[in-house]
Amino acid sequence: MKRDTLLGVFHELSDYSSKYKVMSEGELALRIRGCVSSRSDVEREELERDLDGNLEDLIFRSITTREDKISVFSPDMHTKVNYQGEIFYCLPTHRYLSEELDDAFLRWTAIRTPLSTLKNVVGMFLESAGYQILTQKQTLSVKVGKREYEFLGLSAEKENKKPLHVFIFSSIKFVPHFIPISAASEAKGTMVIVVPTEKTPAPFISFFREHDIGDTQIWVADVNKRTIDPFMGFAEDEEIEINFANPEKARSAVSMWMKKMPFLDL
């Protein structure tokens, strides 16, 4: 039974790795956890006793290293790549394309930063600035390559201020694919895009250099601290500016990035 259980786990993981070929460290760990948790307690305990270790850790090392294989049926994704501050693994026989690495990054951002969590942070921020949210949740989608990714839209109003049309994405790397849609919008008011923080400033620097968003504002949400700061654009409402966590520091950081890393390879 122990052998059949382990074989079944590796079969599922092999199918998944063959489908995507490139996976973030976080996505792989979650996939392993899902496969392991679908087995019975008895099966997991027997395997851990037999293999002498935590099953999820053992499987992860078996897939991502050459030295710690626990089965000949283990997928091999020991090729390691650092991209946009995240660690990715890919099949060693697969000469991955940049599009697949981008796809893996976007898949992971959608997992690690749920839109519902971002929406809660944005909602609290707007309410603290005196805005009433009119549209609680509008799920939209944007196409990147061959895949559709969800994002959220909401509207907020405040007396004597322009209405806000807020669009929430799980990464700034989705925004370039949304720009043609936002440019075509004829809705009156202020366009605001909200994205979460990243592990490195690289995605933000790349966006800043390559895209002109006109009067649209971009805010960056720190979901752990439940705060928001500006990235691009200036808020006309002083109450919004007051409720930013560290607006001067955030804008100084953008300026510093541009000066210190003019030739950064992104």
Side-chain angles (χ1 to χ4, degrees):
M1 183 177 72
K2 289 181 288 188
R3 180 180 177 183
D4 291 342
T5 300
L6 192 60
L7 182 61
V9 169
F10 280 135
H11 179 72
E12 290 179 29
L13 293 170
S14 292
D15 287 346
Y16 195 79
S17 62
S18 296
K19 179 181 179 180
Y20 291 113
K21 300 180 177 64
V22 181
M23 270 189 282
S24 69
E25 186 174 59
E27 182 181 10
L28 178 57
L30 283 176
R31 194 69 187 179
I32 292 170
R33 186 175 305 157
C35 289
V36 170
S37 63
S38 67
R39 271 59 189 181
S40 70
D41 292 343
V42 172
E43 289 174 317
R44 293 197 301 271
E45 288 170 4
E46 285 187 351
L47 277 171
E48 290 189 338
R49 198 162 49 240
D50 187 50
L51 296 170
D52 190 27
N54 179 274
L55 190 55
E56 291 180 25
D57 293 341
L58 291 168
I59 292 173
F60 185 88
R61 291 201 302 272
S62 181
I63 293 173
T64 60
T65 69
R66 293 176 174 176
E67 300 81 15
D68 298 324
K69 299 295 180 189
I70 58 175
S71 170
V72 294
F73 298 103
S74 171
D76 185 2
M77 301 186 78
H78 69 260
T79 301
K80 188 175 179 180
V81 180
N82 190 311
Y83 178 68
Q84 303 285 3
E86 301 280 356
I87 299 298
F88 293 85
Y89 295 95
C90 68
L91 303 175
T93 56
H94 176 65
R95 300 183 67 180
Y96 64 87
L97 303 175
S98 59
E99 290 84 356
E100 288 176 329
L101 196 56
D102 262 340
D103 184 50
F105 181 86
L106 294 178
R107 269 199 330 271
W108 173 236
T109 61
I111 295 169
R112 78 178 182 198
T113 314
L115 291 171
S116 57
T117 303
L118 278 169
K119 176 184 169 292
N120 289 338
V121 176
V122 172
M124 289 175 58
F125 176 83
L126 291 175
E127 288 173 3
S128 67
Y131 283 81
Q132 179 184 2
I133 298 175
L134 304 179
T135 306
Q136 286 294 328
K137 182 178 180 182
Q138 182 182 7
T139 303
L140 307 166
S141 65
V142 60
K143 190 170 185 179
V144 184
K146 297 179 181 179
R147 300 184 188 280
E148 295 278 343
Y149 295 90
E150 290 186 348
F151 65 98
L152 298 180
L154 59 85
S155 298
E157 286 189 353
K158 180 179 178 180
E159 190 175 357
N160 299 322
K161 298 295 179 183
K162 291 181 181 179
L164 300 180
H165 304 290
V166 184
F167 299 93
I168 304 169
F169 295 84
S170 55
S171 172
I172 196 165
K173 288 180 70 66
F174 287 109
V175 179
H177 305 277
F178 170 73
I179 288 175
I181 303 173
S182 63
S185 174
E186 296 180 357
K188 293 181 180 179
T190 300
M191 185 85 68
V192 179
I193 293 172
V194 183
V195 296
T197 56
E198 299 282 0
K199 284 192 174 180
T200 74
F204 292 97
I205 299 171
S206 177
F207 182 89
F208 188 93
R209 290 174 172 170
E210 297 172 9
H211 301 285
D212 180 4
I213 58 169
D215 294 331
T216 299
Q217 297 176 44
I218 296 184
W219 301 347
V220 180
D222 187 322
V223 294
N224 293 322
K225 297 178 180 177
R226 303 186 71 78
T227 59
I228 289 180
D229 268 312
F231 172 56
M232 297 177 72
F234 289 85
E236 296 179 7
D237 187 342
E238 289 183 3
E239 236 181 314
I240 287 180
E241 195 73 18
I242 291 171
N243 277 277
F244 284 139
N246 294 289
E248 291 183 7
K249 184 177 178 181
R251 291 185 176 113
S252 296
V254 174
S255 177
M256 182 181 66
W257 293 343
M258 296 305 107
K259 293 176 181 178
K260 285 193 173 184
M261 292 180 279
F263 305 109
L264 181 66
D265 183 6
L266 301 171

